[in-house]
Amino acid sequence: MFNYTFILLQAANSSVGDLISGLLLGSFVLIIIFLIIRSVVLWYWKVNVIVRNQEEQTQLLSQIFEQAGRRDARINYYKAVANGDKQQAYDSMLHFVFHDLTVPGIKEEDRRAKYENLKTQYSAKFKELGYEFPQYPF
């Protein structure tokens, strides 16, 4: 006698396994084709060059804005001193002193040395305004 249920179950199991392995293989091939086409399109349209240029421009603009912010604080300090506004002059001094201390990527020992340099440089100006040089905040 021949057992049809055993043969049908065996055939169903093998076709499901073949289907799953075929889907996985097909998905893998599609992903590889997508990555190849993507790299060709990015190369053709020079997207990586454009992104690199934008990153450089962003970095340059941030440096320009940092310099402009320090310059504006110094200008505001001299304006306030000329107008006799000691509070505004003090606020402007705090701005450019702490701006120099909060530069990203500075090491702790370098920040401490920068603080000491700023303290010797600006303590007299703070005393002229009637304030003490601020304590080391970090």
Side-chain angles (χ1 to χ4, degrees):
M1 246 331 170
F2 206 63
N3 190 353
Y4 290 108
T5 57
F6 177 73
I7 293 173
L8 287 175
L9 286 175
Q10 191 176 16
N13 286 339
S14 66
S15 66
V16 169
D18 290 343
L19 179 65
I20 290 174
S21 64
L23 285 174
L24 288 175
L25 182 64
S27 299
F28 181 72
V29 168
L30 285 175
I31 289 171
I32 296 297
I33 290 172
F34 169 77
L35 291 175
I36 291 171
I37 291 173
R38 180 182 178 273
S39 65
V40 169
V41 168
L42 292 177
W43 167 80
Y44 181 77
W45 292 104
K46 306 287 188 241
V47 172
N48 56 348
V49 174
I50 293 169
V51 168
R52 188 175 351 104
N53 287 341
Q54 285 181 340
E55 288 171 352
E56 289 174 5
Q57 288 174 351
T58 302
Q59 184 180 14
L60 289 172
L61 283 174
S62 67
Q63 290 173 355
I64 289 170
F65 287 137
E66 276 183 32
Q67 292 171 355
R70 276 190 302 226
R71 186 193 70 227
D72 289 346
R74 292 181 197 283
I75 289 171
N76 289 338
Y77 165 75
Y78 290 115
K79 281 183 184 178
V81 168
N83 293 333
D85 187 358
K86 290 184 177 187
Q87 181 63 42
Q88 178 65 33
Y90 174 71
D91 292 340
S92 298
M93 289 281 291
L94 284 178
H95 178 76
F96 62 80
V97 165
F98 284 112
H99 182 275
D100 289 347
L101 289 176
T102 57
V103 174
I106 191 170
K107 295 178 185 172
E108 183 60 33
E109 57 271 7
D110 294 339
R111 182 173 286 136
R112 177 60 97 167
K114 182 77 168 174
Y115 171 80
E116 295 301 327
N117 289 340
L118 290 169
K119 188 174 183 178
T120 57
Q121 186 177 1
Y122 294 116
S123 286
K125 289 189 179 189
F126 273 94
K127 286 191 190 235
E128 288 174 14
L129 296 173
Y131 297 96
E132 290 294 319
F133 192 83
Q135 296 296 319
Y136 185 70
F138 301 106

